[in-house]
Amino acid sequence: MRGRQQSGDPAKAAAALLTALALPEPPLRLVLGADAVAGIRGKLPAVGADLDRTAELSLSTAVTD
């Protein structure tokens, strides 16, 4: 029985990581693979909506003098 094949190429991932690290402003998070990019793009609207809905509450926690 054959195991599941991964869709990503480890050598290409390593090269992408090194390229990202050499950028003048490397990303905080490096998303690798079409499925990961699609998943995050799909989630961004929901995260934005949560932030919009709770921004006032979040900002209310600042220390005041």
Side-chain angles (χ1 to χ4, degrees):
M1 184 157 100
R2 267 181 85 165
R4 183 174 178 214
Q5 294 291 322
Q6 63 187 45
S7 61
D9 181 326
K12 288 180 180 179
L17 178 58
L18 293 174
T19 299
L21 290 173
L23 293 172
E25 294 184 35
L28 180 61
R29 293 169 187 83
L30 180 62
V31 180
L32 300 177
D35 55 341
V37 170
I40 289 175
R41 286 196 189 277
K43 182 143 181 96
L44 283 174
V47 172
D50 283 347
L51 182 60
D52 290 342
R53 193 176 63 253
T54 60
E56 187 175 339
L57 176 61
S58 296
L59 297 173
S60 74
T61 65
V63 174
T64 55
D65 292 328

